[in-house]
Amino acid sequence: MNNIEGKIWLFGDDINTDLMYPQVCYTLKEEEKPFYAMSANRPGWSKMVNHGDIIVAGRNFGTGSSRPAADNIKNLGISCVIAESINGLFLRNSVNSGFLALTVPGIVDAVDEGDLLYIDLKNNTVINKSNNKKINFKPLPQFLMDIIENGGIINILRNKGLLGWPL
Amino acid sequence: MNIIEKILRNHSVEDIPEVSPGDIVTVNVDRAIITDMAALHPEFINEPPVKPFDNNKIAVIFDHFVPPPNIEISNRINRLRKLVDLWNIRDFYDAGRGGISHVIAAEKGFLKPGSLIANTDSHTIAVGAFNTVGRGLGTPEIMNIIATGKTWFVTGDTIRVDLNGNMNSNASYRDVFFNIAGTTGDIPNNNIEFHGDGIKHITMDGRSSISTMCAEISAEFSVFPYDGVLKNYMDNINIYDYKAIEPDNNTHYYKTYDIDLNKIEPMIALPDRIINNIKPVSEINKTEISVAVVGSCANGRLSDLRDVSSVLKNHRVSRNVRFIVTPASQEIYNEALRLGYIDTIIKSDALVTNPTCGACLGGHMGVVGDGDTVISSTTRNFKGRMGSSRANIYLASAKTVAASAVKGYISGDLSE
């Protein structure tokens, strides 16, 4: 996977799935869904996101439901989530959607909103280019990186011929 | 090894002697459950798996949108329903025949002690009450499981929580969970294993409530030991073909916490989150409510309906409150009817709905509006969870919800 560079949006602790993908999204058109991300806690934010931006957040990111929250912020253009800790279901959904979510303890104190962050996936280091702070992190197991690099689980199943026709 | 590590080891696709924290284990799944939410995921109904790994190990349970609240959802669920014939699914629970998937899974004997369950719903950790492991999974992942019968888990560290003593009559198992949440805080990627001398007093409803809510502290798995209470439950539904799992004698736990059940009092979660947001009800200033809800996989069970009925007896719901009561399954509904709970509840001006997840997810049967103040025994108080993001949602036990519905403001007890 290529290294990532992007501008930071900073969020707090316990950012839940229902904020990223409100209930109303389920029956919207695909292209409309991403704009509802964080509409309850940060109205107007989704329209300010540029392709490649990064979310940095506090503890317990993605707590909540099975809903496709990771897809929704990925489809909004977010390239990666970096948090102090990440809910296990959100991490699974990210991996299975081919989206990178990394646990990097200490990240919140090393950044301000709007900083430029560089994620070096070969050396497992994040570098804040705005203040030159550097943090090493424990990479995701290769087993999970392989799913991400293959574009997620649906892609893998499709390539194996395991998916069928519309119901 | 602890209970969770042993269950993972026993289900490992590769023959491995042991499982330790950090290990990634690929496992065979004993039972996969699909709910009607799959219909709301375009990838599932547009490109379903060609065939299931074993049609008799798959259950289809409609619960979130029963009955469907609009044309779009109705159409999508009709598409999903085609799978039942296409795959020749035996265990199918449509509207009127089932209820909330975690509750049906227990009633129908899918949760055999020692087994491993896959279900897309995020409260699948509920199964831990049955000495069983399972966690919420995404829809794309359940498609993989349907196709292959397998999935993976990253083994987390396990926290031991000892529940000691016996609860006072004014407290509920939901209050036990709040106490646990206040003690452990959020624990992403870590497991919880329950022990202690108080467990023998905790009913299967109570264990299920506690285990279900462990999703809200981001636990990976939660599990209760196998004992006489669980054995009786399984005997009563004529399930005997299982192998319950005990931890090794010398098991080391990552952390251990002691909870004294005698000291538990009615608790409440304030709006928007549970973590670091829980208080004793006695410390809450007079807060008027407009909506009260009892239901969900956590607390829409028979004992919750019993609690509601005993609080409401000879009382009426405050004229400023709409009180919605949703039994978690048809079986619970039926039993509550037989025992007179439903009669008491509806004569107190509360509204009883059919079994569904409905109000908990803001889907239907109790969607709340701008400015509503809600007290609910359901699972989540996230902003916007039950409808409008301008509603405030408090979470509490069924008993506290019912008392508050009568008073018209948050109250742990009618005598207050």
Side-chain angles (χ1 to χ4, degrees), chain B residues 17 19 58 163 233 265 285 293 374:
Chain B
V19 165
I58 293 174
L163 303 173
Y233 185 99
E265 58 175 312
N285 294 329
V293 178
V374 186

Side-chain angles (χ1 to χ4, degrees), chain B residues 19 27 49 55 124 130 162 166 205 208 279 307 323 335 357 362 384 392:
Chain B
V19 165
V27 292
N55 58 338
T124 303
F130 290 78
D162 282 356
N166 208 343
D205 272 13
S208 299
K279 275 189 170 179
D307 287 350
F323 186 11
E335 195 58 10
C357 309
N392 284 321

Side-chain angles (χ1 to χ4, degrees), chain B residues 6-54:
Chain B
K6 279 190 178 178
I7 294 177
L8 292 177
R9 192 260 328 257
N10 291 353
H11 288 79
S12 171
V13 170
E14 285 176 46
D15 194 13
I16 47 175
E18 225 174 61
V19 165
S20 317
D23 292 350
I24 298 179
V25 194
T26 299
V27 292
N28 292 304
V29 168
D30 291 316
R31 172 66 72 164
I33 296 169
I34 306 167
T35 75
D36 51 356
M37 284 307 287
L40 295 179
H41 288 255
E43 67 272 28
F44 196 101
I45 51 175
N46 289 335
E47 247 181 319
V50 178
K51 64 181 175 68
F53 75 104
D54 182 343

Side-chain angles (χ1 to χ4, degrees), chain A residues 62-143:
Chain A
T63 188
S65 104
S66 311
R67 62 186 65 197
D71 290 81
N72 215 37
I73 54 173
K74 178 186 177 190
N75 293 340
L76 187 64
I78 297 292
S79 60
C80 174
V81 166
I82 298 186
E84 297 284 336
S85 60
I86 296 177
N87 172 279
L89 177 52
F90 183 84
L91 179 66
R92 296 183 87 87
N93 279 336
S94 299
V95 168
N96 285 321
S97 296
F99 179 68
L100 187 65
L102 292 171
T103 299
V104 182
I107 187 70
V108 167
D109 286 339
V111 303
D112 287 311
E113 183 154 290
D115 286 355
L116 190 64
L117 198 68
Y118 181 74
I119 305 163
D120 181 341
L121 291 166
K122 291 192 181 58
N123 297 307
N124 303 314
T125 307
V126 293
I127 300 161
N128 184 345
K129 288 196 160 178
S130 303
N131 63 15
N132 291 319
K133 284 185 184 164
K134 202 185 265 193
I135 306 179
N136 294 323
F137 62 88
K138 195 171 152 219
L140 285 178
Q142 193 54 43
F143 179 81

Side-chain angles (χ1 to χ4, degrees), chain A residues 14 16 18 23 26 30 59-60 63-66 68 86-87 89 92-93 96 141 143 158 162 164-167, chain B residues 24 37 42 45-50 65 79 120 122 135-136 138 141 152-153 186 188 218 273 361 380 382 385:
Chain A
D14 304 311
N16 67 64
D18 299 35
Q23 179 65 24
Y26 273 114
E30 288 305 313
R59 290 178 60 91
N60 199 25
T63 188
S65 104
S66 311
I86 296 177
N87 172 279
L89 177 52
R92 296 183 87 87
N93 279 336
N96 285 321
F143 179 81
R158 191 182 293 134
L162 294 172
W165 300 100
L167 292 169
Chain B
I24 298 179
M37 284 307 287
I45 51 175
N46 289 335
E47 247 181 319
V50 178
F65 291 106
R79 288 176 65 189
T120 49
S122 56
R135 60 140 20 270
E141 185 163 8
W152 52 268
F153 295 108
D186 59 315
S218 288
R273 69 183 72 204
L361 70 149
R380 293 187 174 129
F382 301 159
R385 168 75 183 179

Side-chain angles (χ1 to χ4, degrees), chain B residues 4 23 79 109-110 141 150 169 198 296 347 395:
Chain B
I4 292 157
D23 292 350
R79 288 176 65 189
F110 301 160
E141 185 163 8
K150 297 175 179 59
S169 60
S296 85
K347 283 181 178 151
L395 298 177

